[in-house]
Amino acid sequence: MNDLLSIPCVLMRGGTSKGPFFLASDLPSDPSSRDQILLSVMGSGHPLQIDGIGGGNPITSKVAIVGKSTVPDADVDYLFAQVRVDQQIVDTSPNCGNMLAAVGPFAIEAGLAAVCGETTIVRINNVNTGKMIEAEVPTPEGRVAYMGDAAIDGVPGRAAPIALTFMDAAGARTGRLFPTGNAIDTIDGVDVTCIDCAMPMILMEAQSLGVSGYETSAELNRNSALLQQMEAVRLSAGERMGMGDVRDQVTPKPVLISKPKKDGALNVRYFMPHECHPSLATTGAVGIATACINEGTVASRLVGLQEPPIILSLEHPSGRLDVKLQHRDGKVVAGILRTARRLFEGRVFARPVKNLICAA
C-alpha cells in the first residue's frame, strides 16, 4: 500500500557473482523503461548503492532477466545487465557466465524448463551475444538441488555442481574471434591480444605494464597509473575491435596475464573494466583459455601453444578456475563447473516509470 512499483524478484548467487533475477514478463518491454527500473532497484549512482539492493561492487551489481525462448532449440532466453555502481548506466552488451550458473535453477523453479531425470539440461539462449549455453542442473527427486559437495574458489562452503558448456563462444560481440584480424596488436607500446570469445577482452602481459601480475586485487585497484594506462589501451582497442567508443561500456575487459605461481596454465588478473575482479569471470576464463589454443597470441606466446582436448587451470586472486576445452561437431566447446544458490525471493520496490509497458 504505497506509491512504489512492486516487482517479483529472486536474489541468487551464480558462481562468484550475485544479483536479482527477474522474469522478463515482469519488467517493461521498452529497454529505456526497463533500465530506469533496474537503476532504481540497484540504487546506482551512489558508491554504496544505498537506495537499492546493489552491493556497491560490480560483482554484486548484476541483473539476470529470464523468459521463454525466442529461438529454436533453446529452453529459455537470458538477458544479462551489468548495472554500474557509480553511474546510472545499464550495459547489456556483455554476457556474465557466473550469473549464468543460476539461470538453469531459476528457470526450472519458475516453470520455464521441465525437470528431466536426475540431471536436467537447460539450453540457454544468451540474448546479449546470441550464443547457446547448456547448463546441467542436478534435479534428484524431481526438484532443484542446491546442496552438494562441489566447491569453487571465491565462494565459501560446498554446493551442488552445475556444469556449463559454451557451445560456440567465438565472436560473441563482434562476430570474430580476433576482431582486429591479428593475434597480436601493439597499442601504446604494449603487445595485446584482442579476443572475442564469450567476452571481448584485451590480454596483456602484466610485466609489459610494469607490474608482476601477482598483486592482490586491492593493490591493483590502488595503482591509479596502471588503471589509467589500461583504460587508454582499452579505449583504443575498442575502436580497433569495431566496438566504437567504449568509455560507457564495460567491454572490452582488460586482462593481465603472467606465468603461473603454482601448477596452473596461467596467472590472471581480470578487470571489470576499472576494478580488478576478486576472482575471475567465467566468460573471461573461456576467452583466456581459448587464447591459449590459438597460435601467436599473448597467452600462447607465454605458456606455449596448447591443444584440445585439455583442461587449463587459470590462477586468480581467490584460487583457480578450470576450463575444459574439447572438440564437438567440428567446433571447440568450453566447459566450466560452477555452483549457485537461491538466497531470497519476494518483491523488490522501484520508483515508478511513466507510460510503463510490460513485456508480453
Side-chain angles (χ1 to χ4, degrees), residues 143-217:
R143 63 178 185 174
V144 173
Y146 291 105
M147 303 296 289
D149 295 325
I152 60 173
D153 290 332
V155 177
R158 295 182 178 273
I162 297 175
L164 300 176
T165 302
F166 292 77
M167 306 305 295
D168 182 19
R173 171 76 187 279
T174 66
R176 302 177 68 186
L177 180 62
F178 298 113
T180 68
N182 306 313
I184 287 185
D185 294 279
T186 302
I187 301 177
D188 295 344
V190 179
D191 285 349
V192 306
T193 291
C194 298
I195 187 169
D196 179 9
C197 188
M199 179 70 72
M201 293 179 289
I202 313 110
L203 308 185
M204 301 167 274
E205 284 194 47
Q207 290 185 347
S208 67
L209 281 83
V211 293
S212 68
Y214 308 122
E215 294 86 354
T216 66
S217 299

Side-chain angles (χ1 to χ4, degrees), residues 11 42 45 87 108 136 145 162 183 195 207-209 257 300 321 330:
L11 184 66
M42 303 305 282
Q87 300 179 53
I108 293 171
E136 297 180 29
I162 297 175
I195 187 169
Q207 290 185 347
S208 67
L209 281 83
I257 62 173
S300 62
L321 196 160

Side-chain angles (χ1 to χ4, degrees), residues 297-351:
T297 67
V298 170
S300 62
R301 186 176 69 180
L302 188 63
V303 302
L305 184 64
Q306 308 295 304
E307 295 286 346
I310 191 172
I311 297 177
L312 295 174
S313 182
L314 304 177
E315 299 174 4
H316 57 72
S318 297
R320 57 194 294 165
L321 196 160
D322 293 339
V323 183
K324 182 179 181 180
L325 298 174
Q326 59 186 327
H327 293 285
R328 184 190 295 184
D329 300 327
K331 297 179 180 178
V332 175
V333 300
I336 290 183
L337 183 69
R338 298 278 85 186
T339 66
R341 191 160 84 87
R342 195 177 184 95
L343 301 173
F344 181 86
E345 63 180 63
R347 305 184 76 87
V348 70
F349 294 91
R351 297 178 183 277

Side-chain angles (χ1 to χ4, degrees), residues 271-285:
F271 288 77
M272 307 179 287
H274 308 117
E275 186 173 337
C276 185
H277 200 296
S279 54
L280 175 58
T282 299
T283 45

